[in-house]
Amino acid sequence: MRSRTPPSPSPVSWLYLAVCVVLVSLNLRTLFSSFSAILPEITAATGLPGWGATVLTTVPATLLGVFAPLAPVLARRFGSWRVLFGALLLLTLGLVVRSVPVPDGGAMVTLLVGTVFSGAAIALANVVLPSIVKQDFVNHLGLMSGLYTTAICGSAALGAGLTFPVYEAVGDWRLALGIWAVPVLVTAGLLVPVLRRHRSGARPVTSTTGRSPLTSPVAWHITLMMVFQAMTSFTAFAWLAPILRERGLDGGLAGLIVAVSIVLQMAGSLAAPVLAARMRSQSALNVAAAVLTAAGFILSIHGPMAGIWVWTGVLGVGQGALTALALTMITLRSESAHMAIRVSGMMQGLGYGLGSSGTFITGQVFAVTGSFGPAAWLFAASGLGAAVFGWLAGRDRAVEE
């Protein structure tokens, strides 16, 4: 039996729900960017080995794929909003654990345990958010998809931009990491009234009746679009700054260029879903975003340095739009919130799980060749894959129940 739709909210209640979704999204990437922002300081203070740093920077992305399939199961039992609330509590715990003081030599344990908890929590939240948008914002799918994906990009920017200044102010890397648990816990508190409303107005799904998205070509097109966009997205987060450094830029300028690229990601992620929701077919829009992303990345590696701001800007706009469009396809192609969460679990489980390989491949290319130059072939291939499956996913067809 599918869930009963809760009563339509008043304008004030609708606005409150929208604010909650945005605030949740603003907490979903600080785990990644806050650690990277002060990695040299953490390494110097703890003696963290090179393999440990590699594990801690790659595990979160892998966990997004590992735990994503669990979200639909929990949502059927407890409801999407309750799963989201529980995910925020688990994320708070994870962020606190990774900042707990331990004796010398024990930092790797707390960092890893906290990262695992946090990665699992983010995976659950990632999956249920499209279902919540489909359920509670059915008349504003494009706007809400754009807002929450933009907030996710903003989360990465906040972690990258504020963690080091906090470290400089407090002089303790643990506090600089642990401070990010505070906004997560505050956001969880704001969800309490939402849980009360949904407890009285709706019941969670209690069965798995209906067609599995695994049998749907449309669901596979969306999933493979996600795989190829994730290959580029995670690689940009991890390696764009080192790529710019290899091309001769100093650390400060490289960091500034990356920050501007992230801001432009936010612009792309806000505009693309709004346009997509107004179109019957999003195929051309998906292809355009894929081409911009691949071209921007390739030119950032091999294009004339005089245009580096343009190349990274194109990458930012394309990457933000492509990520947002991949997530928006879930709500536009699913006939119900029930199907949306199942498609979301499939798409993000495989998408993040396989897509995170782009970061590893790029690192191996650099380790073997001593240059990021050959990695341009990877971005050409991932851009082509995103364009092909983006075209297929964008056709006016639904994942059937």
Side-chain angles (χ1 to χ4, degrees), residues 236-249:
F237 281 130
W239 294 113
L240 181 57
I243 287 170
L244 297 177
R245 296 288 295 273
E246 183 190 53
R247 300 207 66 188
L249 301 183

